[in-house]
Amino acid sequence: DAKTTQPTSMDCAEGRAANLPCNHSTISGNEYVYWYRQIHSQGPQYIIHGLKNNETNEMASLIITEDRKSSTLILPHATLRDTAVYYCIAGAGGTSYGKLTFGQGTILTVHP
Amino acid sequence: GAGVSQSPSNKVTEKGKDVELRCDPISGHTALYWYRQSLGQGLEFLIYFQGNSAPDKSGLPSDRFSAERTGGSVSTLTIQRTQQEDSAVYLCASSFRRTGQQETQYFGPGTRLLVL
């Protein structure tokens, strides 16, 4: 899996958009970008994934640059319950199986 | 629908004892993964199952660790002669894996193991 780089921590005001960046400059053509989050004492929760195109679901939006070397996870209206560690993972796709390599992630703190 | 479940949720054991941790994947999911998360650390891959076979056991830290999966469903992770450094949260994930297709892993709540 390609290595990813994320800021150690970020803050966001409740109700505002949280934009979490991720660099994955060595990503290969068949590797997807996955985002998971882990709220204290719980298992990781899947958020979203993408390959080339921007993606949106009920939780978040994922913006991937045209060269695929970086991406941004957007939580459009952050709430206190979004406080968590957010992991960006460049994972195997295609014919490779999907072992996920987690880094240290970004600690997002949403404050009132 | 039902997600991935794990049992027990917490386990306290004495050094040297054996423990078994159980994972019930999402029904129909073909792939199953075990990870470990030590205090303050990231998730560490342990083993991967496709059906009942384990093509990748490379993450198992020692021969005291073993895992099996039966009926393409439930998996058990066994740690023999536990050591204090085995204390961690053990997480299971499952996915519906099809060759050549993207797969999304869904995680269980984990088993918190404390070795005294």
Side-chain angles (χ1 to χ4, degrees):
Chain A
D1 295 351
K3 177 180 170 58
T4 61
T5 304
Q6 300 177 252
T8 302
S9 63
M10 295 183 66
D11 287 342
C12 179
E14 189 177 19
R16 305 298 293 269
N19 298 288
L20 289 86
C22 179
N23 287 322
H24 32 79
S25 58
T26 61
I27 195 169
S28 62
N30 68 345
E31 287 186 312
Y32 287 78
V33 179
Y34 295 89
W35 284 83
Y36 283 78
R37 73 180 183 184
Q38 189 171 27
I39 297 170
H40 182 61
S41 298
Q42 298 181 21
Q45 178 188 21
Y46 165 77
I47 301 173
I48 199 167
H49 74 274
L51 184 62
K52 296 179 182 178
N53 300 322
N54 298 337
E55 303 288 343
T56 296
N57 64 19
E58 64 278 4
M59 289 183 68
S61 294
L62 175 60
I63 308 298
I64 302 174
T65 57
E66 192 170 343
D67 63 9
R68 301 212 325 123
K69 292 184 177 182
S70 66
S71 62
T72 301
L73 178 75
I74 302 173
L75 307 179
H77 305 288
T79 71
L80 298 179
R81 287 177 294 182
D82 292 322
T83 293
V85 180
Y86 286 77
Y87 296 99
C88 167
I89 302 163
T95 56
S96 299
Y97 78 93
K99 176 178 74 174
L100 298 176
T101 302
F102 285 78
Q104 294 303 308
T106 296
I107 301 171
L108 175 68
T109 303
V110 181
H111 52 83
Chain B
V4 177
S5 61
Q6 294 185 244
S7 61
S9 54
N10 293 281
K11 177 71 176 178
V12 181
T13 191
E14 294 178 349
K15 177 181 174 181
K17 295 288 182 65
D18 298 351
V19 295
E20 286 189 352
L21 312 180
R22 176 186 169 107
C23 173
D24 284 86
I26 292 172
S27 178
H29 277 191
T30 55
L32 186 148
Y33 301 79
W34 283 98
Y35 295 84
R36 178 171 75 170
Q37 187 170 32
S38 301
L39 186 63
Q41 302 297 311
L43 278 81
E44 169 192 17
F45 166 80
L46 296 179
I47 187 170
Y48 152 65
F49 285 93
Q50 179 63 28
N52 291 335
S53 63
D56 188 350
K57 306 178 183 179
S58 63
L60 295 178
S62 76
D63 58 8
R64 296 186 295 105
F65 288 72
S66 63
E68 65 175 11
R69 188 179 185 196
T70 56
S73 180
V74 172
S75 177
T76 302
L77 177 68
T78 301
I79 309 173
Q80 296 178 310
R81 304 180 304 281
T82 52
Q83 303 294 312
Q84 289 182 332
E85 60 263 28
D86 299 334
S87 297
V89 177
Y90 289 82
L91 291 152
C92 175
S94 71
S95 69
F96 180 55
R97 170 164 173 71
R98 295 159 290 175
T99 300
Q101 300 293 319
Q102 179 274 336
E103 62 175 291
T104 297
Q105 294 180 36
Y106 296 91
F107 284 79
T111 292
R112 285 154 189 77
L113 175 66
L114 176 62
V115 181
L116 301 177

